[in-house]
Amino acid sequence: MCGIAGIWGQTEQTNVEAMMKSIIHRGPDAKGIFTVPNGSGILGHQRLSIMDVDGGDQPIYSKANTQAIIGNGEIYNYPKLQPELAKKYKFLTKSDTEAVLHLYEEKNTTAVGELDGMFAFAIIDDNKFIAARDPIGIKPLYYSEKDGNFWFASELKAITQFCENVEEFPPGHFFSSETGFSQYYSLPDIPPELDANVDELLQEIRETVEASVVKRLMSDVPLGAFLSGGLDSSIIAAIAKKHKSELHTFSVGIAGSKDINAARLVSDYLGTIHHEYIITPEEAIAKLPEIIYYLESFDQDLVRSGIPCYFTSRLASEYVKVILTGEGADELFAGYTYYKDIPSDDTLHRELRRSVNSLHNINLQRVDRLTMAHSIEGRVPFLDLKMIELGQKVPAHLKLKGTPPVEKWILRKAFEDILPEEIVWRKKEQFDEGSGTVDLLTETLKDVMNEQQAQQYQKEHPDIKLRSAEECYYHQIFMKAFDKPDALLTNVARWAETRF
């Protein structure tokens, strides 16, 4: 996990160095720069050492030094790719990023479709430039085209120092300086198997989730798991503990919050090494400017859930460098309350696909930014591509089942024998609810901006469509957090529920 930045075109190295400095939190362990001899491009890398700690610094070069790569993320099928590639190419490191370079040497841009992982990478190949982002957009990448140059970086704040018009690099795409953008992946539209055998589906879900977690245990540094005591994080912790003799788990919340108590129960049941942190109202409010700066968003829902994510990441960073999280299960298996209001199975199926397609710049942005703010790597097993395909196959009536409907019913059934009953059938609560953050904010922010002040603020920013006094306050902080906030505004995603 790292931060990448660079420019394809004629520029000064000091520009790339400035971009790297703004994202040093993404990779404080090492840095590297490659400048094309003819001055046509520069690659910059801030490294968080996860694989091949001692020998995996980047950029990584081809044997002839005509190609160089920088990457952010993890390639989970590296152990399968490396032996075959090693028959033809000499590996100089044990870094999974080097496998990407050699696979590119072997198959050109078609190589990206063979990668299994979360990634954003850039390659300079003599007089050609290539960049790519993973299929779902787990790892971030942004770009700007200015004065004939192509600027790119892992975070908005790196580019907006220099460019006013910045765009999100689309998930599932690669860019070539010769051909422009090309799409290599789109979310499959797999019809649900309405006559599926439920017992077979339960077994397939168990096997697929376990395989997704196991491949994400790949690490040369300590690894742990977020544990809110909810279904998703508890499933992941249970599977990880099955394959690791020791597992550190982490939970935060206000004093007496449901998450704190549930996480203790799960930790005791699984036998994990558990750590928790109690958030005070004063500290949460004091940290809001820092949280919003790293989050690069003022969206009310993202900031609310960003607060416990920030403190859990800070806690975890004292013990591990890699963390497993439960993002994606709600979108695959209908975990949010509003899904229950959707009138038909077909419509729910479409809405769940939309939700998965939207994750890259909402919940996945939150996880990436706030883990990387503390220099740890977040991994999301539920968003494995095989898991996503399986989620499409499961009929909607098995995701919401019963009267009243129980959210994620089939996921609960698949793992009901490995967790305490009260955890398996615990009512779904979002991270900000279970941790007590919503209650904390409601009480603490009520005097910060009243409704009259909020209405006036909304009139002053009519294009933003601010939803509440709370969100007005977050926007106010956002505008002060950056030197050029307007350059970021067009990329601020809004968490939205589609109403039917």
Side-chain angles (χ1 to χ4, degrees):
M1 190 67 68
C2 306
I4 64 174
I7 303 169
W8 177 249
Q10 299 292 330
T11 188
E12 299 294 328
Q13 182 170 311
T14 53
N15 293 338
V16 175
E17 290 173 344
M19 288 198 288
M20 293 168 62
K21 185 177 180 179
S22 70
I23 57 173
I24 193 171
H25 52 278
R26 299 187 67 90
D29 296 335
K31 66 178 182 180
I33 291 179
F34 168 68
T35 302
V36 179
N38 65 10
S40 62
I42 302 174
L43 301 178
H45 189 264
Q46 290 289 160
R47 186 180 184 215
L48 181 65
S49 304
I50 303 294
M51 300 298 296
D52 191 6
V53 174
D54 295 328
D57 287 353
Q58 299 182 32
I60 296 173
Y61 303 92
S62 63
K63 183 178 180 180
N65 286 326
T66 56
Q67 297 159 328
I69 186 172
I70 53 174
N72 169 31
E74 299 295 340
I75 307 301
Y76 301 123
N77 62 338
Y78 161 73
K80 294 182 179 179
L81 293 172
Q82 195 273 347
E84 191 64 28
L85 289 168
K87 295 176 182 178
K88 185 174 180 180
Y89 302 96
K90 182 179 180 180
F91 275 73
L92 301 177
T93 75
K94 296 178 182 177
S95 167
D96 53 321
T97 301
E98 185 172 1
V100 179
L101 178 62
H102 295 319
L103 192 63
Y104 168 78
E105 289 184 89
E106 185 73 10
K107 299 189 175 183
N108 206 288
T109 54
T110 61
V112 68
E114 296 190 20
L115 300 176
D116 177 11
M118 55 178 189
F119 56 83
F121 67 80
I123 296 173
I124 286 181
D125 180 4
D126 197 10
N127 60 352
K128 182 168 63 175
F129 171 77
I130 304 293
R133 190 179 181 194
D134 68 66
I136 304 300
I138 300 170
K139 299 319 302 170
L141 192 60
Y142 297 91
Y143 74 97
S144 180
E145 296 181 90
K146 177 184 177 183
D147 300 330
N149 292 345
F150 188 93
W151 301 61
F152 68 92
S154 296
E155 295 185 11
L156 286 161
K157 61 178 70 71
I159 309 180
T160 55
Q161 302 173 70
F162 303 100
C163 305
E164 294 182 1
N165 299 311
V166 183
E167 301 286 342
E168 183 187 12
F169 194 107
H173 284 68
F174 67 83
F175 173 84
S176 166
S177 56
E178 296 179 340
T179 59
F181 281 97
S182 299
Q183 186 171 10
Y184 70 89
Y185 176 89
S186 60
L187 189 70
D189 191 2
I190 302 172
E193 297 182 356
L194 300 180
D195 58 348
N197 181 291
V198 175
D199 289 337
E200 291 178 359
L201 269 182
L202 290 170
Q203 185 62 28
E204 189 174 1
I205 288 170
R206 282 188 68 124
E207 292 174 354
T208 306
V209 175
E210 180 159 7
S212 299
V213 172
V214 169
K215 73 168 66 171
R216 285 163 180 79
L217 299 178
M218 180 182 81
S219 176
D220 292 336
V221 295
L223 175 148
F226 286 166
L227 181 59
S228 69
L231 177 71
D232 311 334
S233 64
S234 298
I235 289 172
I236 289 173
I239 295 172
K241 182 61 175 69
K242 176 182 173 182
H243 294 273
K244 291 181 68 69
S245 59
E246 289 188 351
L247 179 71
H248 289 263
T249 52
F250 306 92
S251 178
V252 301
I254 66 173
S257 65
K258 295 177 182 177
D259 279 5
I260 287 288
N261 293 329
R264 289 174 185 170
L265 173 63
V266 177
S267 174
D268 288 345
Y269 186 84
L270 298 178
T272 70
I273 304 167
H274 193 57
H275 313 270
E276 62 183 40
Y277 185 82
I278 303 301
I279 306 171
T280 66
E282 295 76 18
E283 186 175 23
I285 300 305
K287 288 296 184 182
L288 271 175
E290 187 176 341
I291 291 168
I292 289 171
Y293 172 77
Y294 283 116
L295 181 62
E296 298 188 323
S297 177
F298 55 82
D299 179 84
Q300 176 176 298
D301 295 290
L302 288 190
V303 175
R304 282 179 171 184
S305 58
I307 293 170
C309 190
Y310 172 93
F311 285 104
T312 319
S313 298
R314 189 180 72 176
L315 174 64
S317 69
E318 298 176 17
Y319 302 92
V320 301
K321 290 184 78 169
V322 177
I323 202 80
L324 303 178
T325 82
E327 270 66 31
D330 288 319
E331 290 77 9
L332 289 175
F333 293 99
Y336 295 124
T337 301
Y338 86 95
Y339 291 140
K340 298 178 182 181
D341 299 330
I342 294 176
S344 72
D345 288 354
D346 287 345
T347 307
L348 176 58
H349 178 73
R350 291 196 301 272
E351 172 61 5
L352 293 174
R353 292 190 75 252
R354 185 202 69 82
S355 298
V356 173
N357 267 324
S358 302
L359 277 170
H360 57 94
N361 55 9
I362 46 173
N363 287 344
L364 288 176
Q365 176 172 323
R366 168 181 52 79
V367 170
D368 171 82
R369 297 299 199 283
L370 296 177
T371 52
M372 294 306 291
H374 298 286
S375 305
I376 61 174
E377 172 180 295
R379 297 180 181 177
V380 285
F382 280 112
L383 291 175
D384 187 273
L385 294 187
K386 289 185 178 179
M387 195 68 236
I388 290 172
E389 290 180 7
L390 177 56
Q392 305 293 299
K393 289 167 52 180
V394 177
H397 70 268
L398 295 178
K399 297 177 179 180
L400 288 175
K401 185 177 173 64
T403 306
V406 175
E407 67 278 353
K408 296 186 286 194
W409 179 85
I410 193 168
L411 186 63
R412 296 174 190 270
K413 288 293 291 183
F415 293 97
E416 65 179 343
D417 63 329
I418 69 169
L419 292 166
E421 182 179 1
E422 56 265 53
I423 298 298
V424 173
W425 300 103
R426 181 186 174 193
K427 182 182 177 182
K428 164 65 184 177
E429 291 182 294
Q430 293 178 202
F431 200 7
D432 52 351
E433 296 171 334
S435 64
T437 305
V438 170
D439 296 333
L440 178 154
L441 292 169
T442 301
E443 181 64 27
T444 308
L445 294 180
K446 64 182 181 181
D447 297 325
V448 173
M449 183 178 287
N450 61 39
E451 287 301 322
Q452 185 176 358
Q453 292 171 318
Q455 289 174 10
Q456 179 59 38
Y457 193 85
Q458 288 167 329
K459 290 179 182 178
E460 294 170 2
H461 301 87
D463 297 334
I464 306 300
K465 295 182 174 59
L466 298 165
R467 296 175 288 170
S468 65
E470 181 184 341
E471 192 165 75
C472 288
Y473 181 60
Y474 298 155
H475 180 266
Q476 193 175 64
I477 295 174
F478 177 92
M479 296 300 287
K480 295 176 181 178
F482 302 97
D483 293 333
K484 298 179 180 179
D486 290 339
L488 285 86
L489 283 175
T490 56
N491 288 282
V492 173
R494 313 301 296 278
W495 202 98
E497 301 173 357
T498 298
R499 292 297 182 181
F500 300 89

